[in-house]
Amino acid sequence: MVQERVMEKLAILADAAKYDVSCSSGQSTRKNKNKGLGDTGGGICHAFTEDGRCVSLLKILLTNHCIFDCAYCVSRKSNDIKRAAFTVQEVVDLTIGFYRRNYIEGLFLSSGIFDNADYTMERLVRIVKKLRLEENFNGYIHLKAIPGASEELLKEAGLYADRLSVNVEMPTEQSLKLLAPDKNHKDVIKPMQYLKNEIIGYQEEKKSNYKTPLFAPAGQSTQMVIGATKENDLEILGMANYFYEQMKMRRVYYSGYVPISYDNRLPAIGTPVPMIRENRLYQADWLIRYYGFNVNEIVGFDQPNLDLDIDPKLGWALRNLHQFPVDINMADLELIQRIPGIGFLSAKKIVAARRFKKLQPEDLKKLGIAYSRSKFFLAFSSPFYMQKDLTPIQIKSQILNLQNSKYKNNFSNQLALF
């Protein structure tokens, strides 16, 4: 009977957790020790490590009870849903049980707010402490940091979890006030700032004292719900850039709003989830973090939203045809990375390969370049397919004719547990 009740809770709280997409297991260095359980070399949901491996995490809420009534949240207190809550020991037992069965490699644990921030955060911390100290579990743990919780609890959480995340939820303070009037934007920013300072402090201390413990070695992340309110992509990416520059955030996640409420402040039930827009934001985010693009190169006051038909890099190239065609044998790495169809690693391969010969189109194809896309922006030493006389509209049309959409009407990549 006890086991049946736990499985019922699991079905409820795993389903509720799928709306939180700020889940990644990369960049932690925690190692197995003292013949314990698990390794954080990698991340029931799928997440991806920095080296591209797919890992499995038990992704659950501690409870879907909540004192807040956020209009966009399925766990809001006014929503008529089945409620459940795990005990601390139940989460520990589930994590260890699933790990021993080889179902998971780690834990992603979030929660609604039971009574107040400290009451909830204290239970989350007790779970990770039990896993680390009593079960000797060394697998990956991603823990929600509850806005408004004390700094003492946040510090303790960072000593046992690999990654912490404080969800900003809405892209702007105005939207948060509109849909979650009980919440304060400053309450979200304050713990982010605290965690940033602690992470940097522990990293600096470890340089001089190797015995310094790890503190959130995979950093912190956050999530924004997009499409619930009317922010444009310039506002969203501007906020993300603020988190990267000022909070040293590892990742900002974008979650397309799933219509779950008849509230007239929100898109009506049946409105499509903005999956393509979500994907374009991730692509733009990648360009900012790894390709050296400035937010204002991707979107601006004259064009505040991303083009849904094409990716942001292609959009930038079509608006800046004066920089093309690029001689692949002469251009620097930074410019080559900006050519549509050439990725971060492919650009490095090109720079390495051209040391030995002048590259031609057939050489790029051998390197795995998406030549059908990049050919519109390339020049070579010998004349070949220089398409510099085509207009942006013509290039866009030809590229669109070559590609197939990969999007499906499915907003969650979390696997069903039953």
Side-chain angles (χ1 to χ4, degrees):
M1 187 65 182
V2 174
Q3 186 65 14
E4 288 181 9
R5 179 56 183 150
V6 172
M7 289 299 105
E8 183 183 357
K9 291 180 184 180
L10 183 59
I12 295 169
L13 296 173
D15 185 68
K18 69 186 180 185
Y19 295 95
D20 195 327
V21 300
S22 57
C23 183
S24 173
S25 60
Q27 302 175 323
S28 182
T29 56
R30 191 182 303 276
K31 299 298 182 183
N32 201 325
K33 55 188 177 183
N34 301 325
K35 297 182 180 180
L37 294 172
D39 255 307
T40 308
I44 284 169
C45 73
H46 286 154
F48 294 89
T49 62
E50 286 295 292
D51 59 5
R53 290 181 299 110
C54 181
V55 296
S56 298
L57 303 177
L58 175 61
K59 183 179 179 184
I60 55 175
L61 300 183
L62 175 61
T63 183
N64 63 346
H65 290 278
C66 195
I67 62 174
F68 292 113
D69 201 25
C70 307
Y72 49 84
C73 181
V74 70
S75 297
R76 64 189 181 279
K77 67 180 181 182
S78 63
N79 200 15
D80 185 17
I81 58 171
K82 187 176 284 190
R83 304 285 178 172
F86 286 122
T87 66
V88 169
Q89 193 59 47
E90 283 171 344
V91 177
V92 172
D93 292 342
L94 280 171
T95 304
I96 298 302
F98 280 161
Y99 179 81
R100 290 188 187 280
R101 293 182 182 90
N102 202 31
Y103 292 167
I104 63 167
E105 297 173 65
L107 172 66
F108 177 98
L109 183 60
S110 185
S111 185
I113 310 301
F114 276 110
D115 184 48
N116 58 56
D118 277 349
Y119 184 88
T120 306
M121 194 71 215
E122 187 270 337
R123 276 150 183 76
L124 295 176
V125 171
R126 279 171 56 194
I127 289 168
V128 293
K129 284 182 70 174
K130 273 180 169 285
L131 284 169
R132 296 298 193 206
L133 302 180
E134 296 179 18
E135 301 294 341
N136 202 13
F137 181 72
N138 295 288
Y140 176 82
I141 297 177
H142 181 147
L143 195 66
K144 280 294 164 187
I146 306 298
S150 70
E151 292 183 354
E152 291 78 9
L153 285 170
L154 292 177
K155 184 170 185 176
E156 201 167 12
L159 292 172
Y160 295 103
D162 294 284
R163 173 168 287 181
L164 296 171
S165 56
V166 186
N167 282 355
V168 69
E169 298 178 3
M170 291 290 106
T172 64
E173 186 172 3
Q174 292 79 6
S175 290
L176 189 65
K177 279 294 181 188
L178 173 67
L179 299 178
D182 293 334
K183 290 187 174 180
N184 191 312
H185 193 69
K186 292 179 180 178
D187 289 340
V188 178
I189 301 299
K190 185 178 178 180
M192 286 182 181
Q193 185 71 54
Y194 173 77
L195 291 174
K196 181 198 80 168
N197 293 337
E198 288 297 302
I199 290 169
I200 292 173
Y202 273 84
Q203 288 173 343
E204 290 300 315
E205 187 177 341
K206 200 164 186 66
K207 291 177 182 178
S208 57
N209 182 4
Y210 72 94
K211 293 184 178 180
T212 300
L214 297 173
F215 186 91
Q220 62 171 321
S221 60
T222 192
Q223 170 181 309
M224 284 189 273
V225 177
I226 56 124
T229 45
K230 295 184 178 181
E231 286 87 7
N232 57 44
D233 294 336
L234 175 60
E235 291 174 289
I236 292 169
L237 290 172
M239 177 61 74
N241 194 57
Y242 166 79
F243 287 137
Y244 287 131
E245 290 188 351
Q246 301 300 318
M247 300 298 168
K248 308 304 177 186
M249 200 72 65
R250 284 289 179 87
R251 285 292 303 274
V252 174
Y253 291 84
Y254 309 94
S255 177
Y257 174 67
V258 181
I260 54 174
S261 172
Y262 290 101
D263 193 314
N264 59 16
R265 293 171 294 177
L266 292 163
I269 289 178
T271 303
V273 180
M275 290 296 292
I276 296 178
R277 184 187 183 196
E278 177 185 309
N279 188 66
R280 295 300 181 220
L281 285 167
Y282 276 118
Q283 290 173 326
D285 185 282
W286 195 262
L287 294 180
I288 293 167
R289 289 192 295 140
Y290 292 107
Y291 286 76
F293 280 82
N294 185 280
V295 171
N296 292 322
E297 292 182 282
I298 301 171
V299 284
F301 292 110
D302 56 335
Q303 187 175 343
N305 289 307
L306 298 167
D307 192 329
L308 298 183
D309 291 337
I310 56 176
D311 66 84
K313 190 201 279 192
L314 177 57
W316 172 83
L318 293 177
R319 293 192 302 273
N320 292 274
L321 281 182
H322 61 279
Q323 297 198 31
F324 299 98
V326 170
D327 186 341
I328 207 73
N329 290 292
M330 300 294 293
D332 59 29
L333 176 64
E334 288 70 24
L335 183 54
I336 294 174
Q337 288 178 169
R338 290 183 170 226
I339 299 172
I342 299 179
F344 185 74
L345 296 178
S346 298
K348 291 185 176 181
K349 290 180 183 179
I350 289 171
V351 172
R354 73 186 186 186
R355 294 166 53 198
F356 304 98
K357 61 172 294 190
K358 283 194 174 295
L359 300 180
Q360 296 298 325
E362 56 270 21
D363 298 313
L364 297 186
K365 294 174 184 177
K366 291 177 183 178
L367 290 173
I369 306 301
Y371 187 70
S372 61
R373 172 179 292 243
S374 63
K375 66 183 180 183
F376 298 99
F377 307 95
L378 298 177
F380 297 89
S381 298
S382 57
F384 184 92
Y385 224 140
M386 287 181 64
Q387 307 216 20
K388 60 184 178 181
D389 294 330
L390 293 178
T391 67
I393 293 176
Q394 290 172 322
I395 295 173
K396 178 179 177 178
S397 177
Q398 290 194 34
I399 290 176
L400 286 175
N401 287 334
L402 295 172
Q403 66 186 33
N404 295 312
S405 177
K406 63 182 179 180
Y407 299 101
K408 298 179 181 179
N409 293 324
N410 179 16
F411 65 89
S412 174
N413 64 350
Q414 181 162 344
L415 300 180
L417 290 165
F418 308 101

